[in-house]
Amino acid sequence: MSSTHSTVTVTVPATTANLGPGFDCFGAALTLYNHFKFSAIALNPSTPDQKTLQIFVKGLEADRVIADETNLVYKAFAKFYAHLGQSPPPVEIEIELGIPLARGLGSSATAIAGGLMGANHLAGKPLTLLQLVDLAIDMEKHPDNVVPALLGGCRLAASIPEELASDRPGWEICDVPWHSEIIPVVAIPDFELSTETARQVLPTHYTRADAIYNTAHLGLLLRGLATNNGQWLRVAMSDRLHQPYRKGLIPGYDVVHAAALNAGAYGLTISGAGPTLLALSSPGQSADVATAMVEAWQKAGIQSQAQSVQIDQRGSVSVEAKSPLKQPANFSTPG
């Protein structure tokens, strides 16, 4: 069969979410990536029992990824077509993982973003990027990871008030300036923490004082990131909504926090739901901060890896190519 069809490869950045006082609304894309390749499968009407879904996974912890209809990439792919009122077409998905799983770096957000972007391309791009953002938030249930995964940069998301929703329901997305001299340093331990577990420790109600505290510190963080004001960043990274409750789920948190500050970091926060910890540093101190975090965790009996990264400004990037239609695994061309 000599037909051709577009194959699309989608590259999606890791994310760090919550960012101190920015719980469930504030996140940034980082220069670590997962890659997803989508290729339509050609079916032969005369051949029964052909596979309509093939998933291949390689890279970090590839053996842990489920390769069937419950795979999150495919669930996002299918959700896109359900939104259009269509059945998903037969597809082969190749996944290359460069972001560790269940570490607070947005691996699930990359799967959702990749699945939606891939589906949109194979369908001829009927939806805009902002429409994909709304679908992604609907799947993830909060915007702080999926928004920067799709759009890149540092992003603040606010739900549109009910009285304005008739004009455009959904979310208002704001890009947040991040000064180039503020370096994110991620320290990734060798243990996992599920988002569900991290949410279960949170209280259902907060005091007015805590709400005011976080509002003030988030405002200060926005200004500190834009201006590279180290003193503002040191104060702004404090939080009362999630970190005081979640840090108990991360062995060694206090010693790593102290080590990062002693090495010159402006501040430290739990990345996403954890257990990865993210420090903000000047360029000259970032290597020392990374080393200090690894050594502090090692003294607590925990192995980790740390590295300086950058803010990814591109978000999800797709590259299309014309290629022969994929044949299903049990399809043979008549000779």
Side-chain angles (χ1 to χ4, degrees):
M1 187 174 291
S2 61
S3 299
T4 61
H5 193 89
S6 290
T7 290
V8 61
T9 300
V10 184
T11 298
V12 187
T15 55
T16 183
N18 298 325
L19 285 177
F23 181 57
D24 269 6
C25 64
F26 190 37
L30 304 177
T31 51
L32 301 168
Y33 301 94
N34 284 339
H35 307 275
F36 309 93
K37 184 178 180 181
F38 302 83
S39 302
I41 294 177
L43 297 183
N44 185 341
S46 63
T47 304
D49 301 324
Q50 299 172 87
K51 289 186 177 181
T52 59
L53 172 63
Q54 299 175 37
I55 300 177
F56 304 97
V57 189
K58 62 181 179 179
L60 289 175
E61 305 171 304
D63 58 333
R64 298 180 52 209
V65 177
I66 299 172
D68 61 22
E69 290 83 359
T70 64
N71 181 283
L72 187 55
V73 179
Y74 183 73
K75 289 171 74 173
F77 185 88
K79 180 181 177 65
F80 173 90
Y81 283 96
H83 179 76
L84 298 184
Q86 302 174 12
S87 297
V91 66
E92 177 185 286
I93 303 173
E94 299 174 51
I95 302 171
E96 183 177 351
L97 299 174
I99 301 168
L101 304 173
R103 298 296 207 286
L105 290 169
S107 59
S108 64
T110 70
I112 292 171
L116 293 175
M117 288 276 289
N120 195 40
H121 276 266
L122 292 189
K125 301 182 186 177
L127 298 188
T128 67
L129 187 54
L130 286 181
Q131 288 173 317
L132 296 181
V133 167
D134 285 341
L135 281 178
I137 295 173
D138 185 58
M139 286 193 71
E140 185 83 341
K141 304 306 180 189
H142 42 87
D144 49 346
N145 275 313
V146 291
V147 168
L150 279 164
L151 302 181
C154 183
R155 302 280 174 167
L156 180 67
S159 58
I160 296 175
E162 186 176 343
E163 61 270 21
L164 301 177
S166 59
D167 297 330
R168 187 177 74 82
W171 297 81
E172 196 65 55
I173 310 298
C174 172
D175 62 309
V176 175
W178 185 298
H179 197 283
S180 61
E181 300 249 324
I182 300 172
I183 306 300
V185 181
V186 291
I188 308 168
D190 64 355
F191 62 90
E192 298 180 3
L193 178 57
S194 74
T195 300
E196 181 181 359
T197 299
R199 284 193 174 272
Q200 287 175 348
V201 301
L202 300 180
T204 56
H205 296 84
Y206 296 94
T207 66
R208 179 187 300 174
D210 286 346
I212 294 170
Y213 185 95
N214 266 55
T215 300
H217 284 74
L218 178 56
L220 187 62
L221 178 58
L222 297 177
R223 292 294 299 143
L225 289 172
T227 62
N228 192 29
N229 187 312
Q231 179 57 29
W232 287 355
L233 291 172
R234 290 183 185 93
V235 174
M237 293 288 278
S238 185
D239 158 78
R240 289 186 181 176
L241 296 189
H242 69 107
Q243 293 193 114
Y245 308 98
R246 288 177 165 174
K247 70 177 186 177
L249 301 174
I250 304 175
Y253 172 91
D254 288 331
V255 294
V256 176
H257 189 184
L261 296 184
N262 289 337
Y266 300 129
L268 178 140
T269 184
I270 300 171
S271 180
T276 292
L277 300 180
L278 177 129
L280 301 183
S281 170
S282 66
Q285 299 298 118
S286 61
D288 291 340
V289 170
T291 299
M293 294 170 77
V294 170
E295 291 178 350
W297 244 328
Q298 190 169 27
K299 290 177 182 177
I302 296 168
Q303 298 302 310
S304 65
Q305 56 177 321
Q307 65 183 105
S308 302
V309 292
Q310 300 290 330
I311 300 300
D312 172 275
Q313 299 293 347
R314 299 194 305 165
S316 295
V317 175
S318 56
V319 177
E320 288 185 329
K322 288 289 185 181
S323 62
L325 281 166
K326 292 282 184 177
Q327 307 300 320
N330 56 350
F331 179 86
S332 59
T333 304

